[in-house]
């Protein structure tokens, strides 16, 4: 029978092993950034900027890839960061290893991908069930225990030299924004909206602090307004004080100068009416999301009211949480109950810019439920890395308060899973047994990578650790990330939130199974560009066989 060519000559077709190679290439890029002895990556962006970090999500966000499987690996890093806020490096390494061990099953043992996927899902179910037997629960009201967990997380970051400071900042910020609503068992903690980081180059890292209020990069709109007030009465508006202009299609013919004067008088009267409605509630600070007319500025300045305009909506909501004020939509409807209070309203000049501080004293009856975190450092690069590390620390604190169950760190949890699943695989019958055992062995990649990154004898360390985990009561033993020696993680107080580690395992295995379902990757180009032209173009563009940007990789 004659062969029929269906695809265009310019189309490229790649079998599933290309997906596995691409996923493993991504995992190999960030493998050295795991653990306290992690290496930093220096990434050059197209604009000439430099990013130095060992944060997995930040690295993968900067890398340019073209292979679809590699893009999926980048997506699971973002997914892990959005859901758990930490573990972005571990999830990529686990997913890459789960795919790497499946290659032998597909190419040597000739198992069908469906059988491999079925074995993986059975192993995942057992891993989730066994995880709950390895947990330790702490008291969420004990700040010292929470700091211990945060410190073990920060110990793998750039800011480990200031771990105590960062732990205190993260815990105070999370405690501040936590809101427990009636009928809810766990508090609602929205870090992204209500704990904003403000970075100001200069000063020392020790000058970083969590404000008992908010900090805004704004100044008063009129030179005659006060920049400091005690016990300020705050009014928040999301409407404009500017006179509403007529539509562009409207035409008005003015024949006499007196008529034009009447139009100007009507504008002033409208502004004065709006200002009178605000002044009736006796404010000392007015903050609006929109504009503020010159006439209104003069009126408020004469009455001793300080004004700030064109505030972001997110900043306006933070100020509302701090002061207890209600954002008013119509100035005519403002009531005395809408006015908030602030212990201190102050504007300071830091460097070349003015910053507004709206804070509460420590002894006020109702503490603010929003905060600003002021970061100081030698340079913008240092500040950016501190911000990334602080975000991870805050997410860990949030996860612990919501779910106080912990798992041993240092690769102890992953080795415990590998040992348990290896024993369970012997009870599995059929072809799925090989896939079950293969996934069990893939979990050893975490302790193996930790030992490798600190220069230890990898084979000896992993073999000894596997032997120890085969004995009862040794599930908390892992690898010391500094020395590469075996250590009891419970005695060393190195713990990770269960929600983060379990999410890593689920995301990694599910992503691996999705990629295993793909048997072909077909891509086409324009008819004018043939297969040889496309290969030449990719080679000239600096791409390797996995479709990853080699030039970007070289900068790592």
């Amino acid at each position: 029978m004659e062969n029929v060519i269906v695809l265009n000559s310019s189309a490229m077709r790649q079998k599933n092993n290309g997906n596995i190679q691409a996923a493993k290439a991504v995992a190999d890029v960030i493998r050295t950034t795991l653990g306290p002895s992690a290496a930093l990556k220096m990434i050059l962006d197209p604009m000439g900027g430099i990013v130095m970090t060992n944060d997995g999500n930040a690295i993968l966000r900067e890398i340019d890839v073209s292979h679809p499987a590699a893009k999926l690996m980048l997506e699971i890093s973002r997914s892990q960061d959005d859901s758990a806020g930490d573990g972005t490096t571990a999830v990529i390494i686990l997913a890459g290893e789960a795919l790497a061990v499946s290659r032998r099953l597909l190419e040597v043992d000739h198992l069908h991908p469906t059988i491999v996927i079925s074995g993986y899902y059975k192993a995942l179910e057992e891993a989730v069930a066994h995880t709950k037997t390895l947990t330790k629960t702490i008291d969420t009201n004990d700040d010292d225990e929470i700091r211990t967990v945060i410190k073990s997380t920060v110990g793998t970051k750039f800011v480990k030299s200031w771990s105590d400071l960062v732990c205190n900042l993260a815990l105070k910020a999370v405690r501040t924004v936590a809101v427990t609503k009636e009928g809810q068992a766990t508090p609602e903690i929205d870090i992204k909206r209500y704990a904003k980081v403000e970075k100001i180059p200069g000063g020392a890292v020790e000058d970083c602090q969590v404000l008992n209020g908010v900090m805004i990069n704004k100044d008063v709109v009129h030179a005659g307004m006060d920049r400091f007030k005690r016990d300020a009465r705050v009014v928040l508006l999301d409407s404009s004080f500017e006179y509403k202009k007529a539509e562009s299609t409207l035409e008005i013919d003015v024949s006499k100068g007196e008529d034009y004067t009447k139009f100007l008088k009507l504008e002033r009267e409208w502004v004065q009416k709006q200002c009178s409605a605000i002044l009736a509630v006796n404010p000392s600070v007015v903050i609006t999301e929109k504009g503020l007319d010159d006439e209104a500025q003069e009126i408020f300045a004469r009455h001793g009211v300080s004004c700030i305009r064109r505030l972001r909506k997110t900043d306006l909501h933070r100020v509302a949480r701090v002061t207890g004020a209600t954002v008013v939509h119509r100035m005519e409807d403002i009531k005395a109950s809408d006015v908030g209070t602030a212990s201190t309203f102050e504007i300071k000049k830091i460097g070349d810019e003015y910053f507004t501080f709206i804070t509460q004293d420590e002894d006020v009856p109702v503490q603010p439920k929003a905060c600003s975190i002021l970061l100081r450092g030698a340079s913008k690069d240092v500040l950016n890395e501190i911000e990334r590390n602080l975000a991870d620390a805050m997410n860990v604190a949030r996860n612990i308060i919501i779910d106080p169950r912990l798992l041993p760190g240092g690769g102890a949890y992953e080795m415990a899973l590998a040992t348990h699943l290896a024993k369970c695989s012997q009870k599995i019958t059929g072809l799925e047994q090989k896939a079950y055992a293969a996934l069990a062995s893939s979990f050893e990649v975490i302790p193996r990578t930790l030992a490798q990154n600190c220069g230890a004898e990898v084979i000896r360390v992993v073999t000894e650790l596997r032997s120890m985990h085969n004995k009862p009561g040794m599930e908390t033993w892992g690898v010391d990330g500094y020395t590469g020696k075996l250590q009891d993680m419970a005695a060393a107080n190195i713990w990770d939130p269960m929600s983060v580690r379990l999410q890593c395992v689920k995301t990694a295995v599910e992503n691996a199974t999705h990629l295993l379902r793909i048997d072909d990757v077909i891509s086409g180009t324009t008819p004018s560009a043939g297969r040889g032209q496309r290969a030449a173009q990719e080679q000239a563009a600096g791409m390797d066989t996995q479709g990853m940007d080699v030039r970007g990789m070289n900068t790592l």
Side-chain angles (χ1 to χ4, degrees):
M1 184 177 178
E2 186 179 354
N3 292 330
V4 179
I5 300 176
V6 178
L7 298 179
N8 191 298
S9 60
S10 62
M12 294 182 65
R13 183 178 179 184
Q14 195 174 49
K15 288 294 185 180
N16 187 40
N17 59 359
N19 293 337
I20 296 175
Q21 291 173 5
K24 192 173 184 303
V26 174
D28 289 340
V29 170
I30 64 170
R31 190 184 299 273
T32 58
T33 65
L34 184 71
S37 299
L40 291 174
K41 303 290 186 183
M42 178 180 288
I43 306 170
L44 308 178
D45 61 27
M47 302 301 295
I50 298 175
V51 178
M52 292 182 294
T53 181
N54 66 348
D55 183 81
N57 187 44
I59 295 168
L60 296 177
R61 199 166 52 238
E62 298 292 335
I63 292 178
D64 183 25
V65 299
S66 63
H67 196 285
K71 290 181 179 178
L72 284 175
M73 294 291 285
L74 270 58
E75 285 299 322
I76 69 167
S77 173
R78 296 189 184 100
S79 174
Q80 176 72 18
D81 188 62
D82 292 338
S83 60
D86 195 19
T88 53
T89 302
V91 71
I92 295 294
I93 296 175
L94 280 174
E97 188 68 13
L99 286 167
V101 297
S102 69
R103 189 170 184 177
R104 176 180 175 83
L105 302 175
L106 299 174
E107 297 180 359
V108 178
D109 297 331
H110 300 291
L111 293 183
H112 194 277
T114 303
I115 298 174
V116 177
I117 292 168
S118 178
Y120 274 20
Y121 272 124
K122 285 186 178 179
L124 177 60
E125 289 178 7
E126 182 60 33
V128 173
H130 186 62
T131 297
K132 298 175 182 177
T133 66
L134 302 172
T135 58
K136 162 193 169 183
T137 304
I138 63 172
D139 182 8
T140 56
N141 296 318
D142 189 345
D143 288 351
D144 290 335
E145 289 192 12
I146 297 178
R147 284 194 193 96
T148 300
V149 182
I150 301 174
K151 195 170 183 178
S152 65
T153 303
V154 172
T156 65
K157 309 290 184 182
F158 168 78
V159 294
K160 58 187 177 184
S161 302
W162 304 279
S163 57
D164 291 334
L165 172 65
V166 174
C167 291
N168 292 330
L169 292 177
L171 184 56
K172 183 178 180 181
V174 171
R175 291 283 194 200
T176 300
V177 302
V179 176
T180 304
K181 295 183 179 179
E182 188 176 353
Q184 288 185 345
T186 56
E188 180 183 303
I189 305 173
D190 193 342
I191 300 171
K192 291 185 178 180
R193 292 179 63 189
Y194 298 116
K196 185 175 181 188
V197 174
E198 296 285 352
K199 300 173 291 186
I200 303 178
V205 177
E206 289 79 5
D207 297 332
C208 299
Q209 59 178 313
V210 177
L211 302 175
N212 201 37
V214 294
M215 169 185 175
I216 306 164
N217 189 6
K218 290 286 183 180
D219 190 12
V220 290
V221 297
H222 193 279
M225 295 178 178
D226 295 333
R227 287 192 168 93
F228 179 82
K229 290 180 182 291
R230 283 287 300 173
D231 299 324
R233 290 173 55 83
V234 182
V235 170
L236 303 180
L237 305 168
D238 68 352
S239 55
S240 176
F241 269 99
E242 295 173 331
Y243 184 76
K244 297 178 181 178
K245 305 297 182 182
E247 296 293 336
S248 58
T249 57
L250 182 65
E251 294 183 3
I252 300 176
D253 292 331
V254 179
S255 57
K256 291 189 267 185
E258 293 82 2
D259 294 338
Y260 182 69
T261 305
K262 287 181 182 179
F263 279 116
L264 296 179
K265 185 179 179 182
L266 288 173
E267 289 187 12
R268 287 196 298 271
E269 288 177 353
W270 182 88
V271 172
Q272 290 169 1
K273 181 181 177 181
Q274 301 298 315
C275 292
S276 298
I278 300 298
L279 293 172
V281 296
N282 191 28
S284 53
V285 176
V286 173
I287 301 176
T288 177
E289 184 185 336
K290 306 291 177 59
L292 197 64
D293 190 82
D294 292 341
E295 181 76 16
Q297 295 179 26
E298 289 289 342
I299 294 173
F300 283 129
R302 287 199 303 268
H303 288 81
V305 179
S306 301
C307 299
I308 297 175
R309 64 179 174 182
R310 306 200 188 283
L311 208 66
R312 293 191 189 97
K313 188 178 288 291
T314 52
D315 288 334
L316 198 68
H317 289 162
R318 273 191 287 272
V319 176
R321 275 209 173 192
V322 170
T323 61
T326 302
V327 179
V328 178
H329 306 287
R330 283 170 47 89
M331 285 167 271
E332 298 86 352
D333 299 336
I334 190 170
K335 303 184 295 292
S337 59
D338 296 330
V339 182
T341 57
S343 300
T344 305
F345 168 82
E346 185 177 8
I347 296 178
K348 299 178 183 178
K349 187 176 183 182
I350 304 177
D352 295 332
E353 298 185 25
Y354 286 94
F355 292 89
T356 300
F357 294 82
I358 301 174
T359 56
Q360 301 282 15
D361 292 340
E362 296 291 341
D363 57 352
V364 295
V366 180
Q367 286 295 313
K369 292 301 178 183
C371 66
S372 291
I373 306 167
L374 176 60
L375 297 184
R376 306 301 304 272
S379 66
K380 289 183 179 179
D381 293 328
V382 171
L383 285 175
N384 290 335
E385 184 65 6
I386 293 175
E387 181 185 15
R388 285 189 285 266
N389 298 163
L390 180 63
D392 289 343
M394 288 193 294
N395 280 302
V396 168
R398 180 200 63 186
N399 293 332
I400 295 171
I401 293 174
I402 294 176
D403 186 354
R405 291 176 293 177
L406 306 177
L407 290 169
Y413 164 61
E414 287 79 10
M415 182 57 78
L417 283 185
T419 306
H420 177 73
L421 293 178
K423 294 177 181 177
C424 292
S425 67
Q426 299 173 6
K427 304 174 185 178
I428 304 295
T429 58
L431 296 175
E432 293 176 352
Q433 191 267 345
K434 292 184 177 181
Y436 198 105
L439 185 63
S441 66
S442 69
F443 287 112
E444 294 184 0
V445 69
I446 298 297
R448 186 167 68 244
T449 303
L450 288 173
Q452 186 176 3
N453 288 346
C454 59
E457 297 179 27
V458 179
I459 297 177
R460 181 184 60 81
V461 170
V462 175
T463 303
E464 289 181 4
L465 185 60
R466 188 187 303 120
S467 175
M468 293 185 70
H469 274 260
N470 281 314
K471 302 174 184 177
M474 307 296 284
E475 292 85 2
T476 58
W477 279 76
V479 179
D480 186 333
Y482 293 102
T483 62
K485 297 179 180 179
L486 301 185
Q487 187 179 21
D488 187 359
M489 296 294 116
N493 263 335
I494 299 176
W495 300 90
D496 292 326
M498 189 199 77
S499 57
V500 175
R501 307 309 301 174
L502 191 57
Q503 184 67 32
C504 277
V505 172
K506 289 180 180 178
T507 306
V509 175
E510 289 176 3
N511 184 75
T513 56
H514 280 308
L515 287 175
L516 287 174
R517 290 183 189 276
I518 303 169
D519 65 341
D520 262 351
V521 178
I522 302 172
S523 60
T525 60
T526 58
S528 59
R531 187 185 300 270
Q533 289 176 319
R534 180 181 175 86
Q537 290 171 359
E538 289 190 355
Q539 185 176 4
M543 295 184 179
D544 66 0
T545 55
Q546 279 77 46
M548 302 187 67
D549 193 332
V550 179
R551 295 169 303 173
M553 304 281 284
N554 289 340
T555 60
L556 297 179

